[in-house]
Every structure is written in structure tokens, then in C-alpha cells.
Amino acid sequence: MTSLKPETVVYTIVPNMKWSNGQPFDASDSRGLVGVRRARSVSVKSDGYRTISSLNVTNGGLSVTAIFATPYAEWNLLFRDVEAQDGTYGVRSTTS
């Protein structure tokens, strides 16, 4: 988390991330991911994705800054299911 007002979190994509079909995954893909996750009303985390008011892609597609419309306590759990090929988390949140 880089700011509390508005709540702002920078998520960093692990370099060389790929989709299961081998296509590159970068921060711009997170926009589509957020859209899909917002639509899922059955997911507890979907509430967190719905509170994101804007996403800004930077750092050559390796970072995405999420600005939340309202505070979301579990911001660090969003994007956790995106994995790198070695099984580690492919998207990490930046804290400062």
C-alpha cells in the first residue's frame, strides 16, 4: 500500500509471466482479470475487485496501480491466485 487516502496499492508482475497457453502476461491483462472478477458475485474477493475505481499500468507493463473507491482491508489477497510458472505468486503487492 502506497497511500491511505485514497487507498492505493501497487501490484508488481513477475517478469516473464505467461498465460497457460504461453502468451505473455503483463499488467494490462489485470484489467480484464478485474472485469471478470467483478462480475463473479459468488466470490468473497469480488467485493474487493468491485472497490477498485481505477487501474494504471506502468513500468513497461510490469506494474499496476490500483486506486480503491473505498478502503478494502484485504487488498493484499487480490490477484493472489495468479501464479508464475514456478508456482510462486506472479503478482505481488508493494508496501511502503
Side-chain angles (χ1 to χ4, degrees):
M1 182 174 304
T2 60
S3 175
L4 290 175
K5 292 186 180 183
E7 188 169 279
T8 305
V9 177
V10 177
Y11 296 95
T12 304
I13 310 299
V14 173
N16 301 316
M17 280 277 299
K18 296 188 184 309
W19 289 98
S20 59
N21 65 3
Q23 294 297 311
F25 180 97
D26 65 23
S28 62
D29 292 315
S30 63
R31 289 184 182 166
L33 201 57
V34 167
V36 167
R37 302 248 167 97
R38 281 180 175 168
R40 290 186 181 169
S41 60
V42 295
S43 170
V44 173
K45 288 189 289 184
S46 63
D47 289 341
Y49 292 106
R50 282 191 208 95
T51 64
I52 296 173
S53 61
S54 70
L55 289 172
N56 300 309
V57 176
T58 59
N59 193 23
L62 293 178
S63 297
V64 62
T65 301
I67 299 174
F68 292 80
T70 58
Y72 184 69
E74 295 181 329
W75 56 266
N76 59 328
L77 299 179
L78 301 178
F79 302 104
R80 292 278 305 257
D81 54 348
V82 177
E83 294 182 358
Q85 289 185 341
D86 64 1
T88 61
Y89 293 122
V91 179
R92 300 184 178 119
S93 58
T94 301
T95 57
S96 59

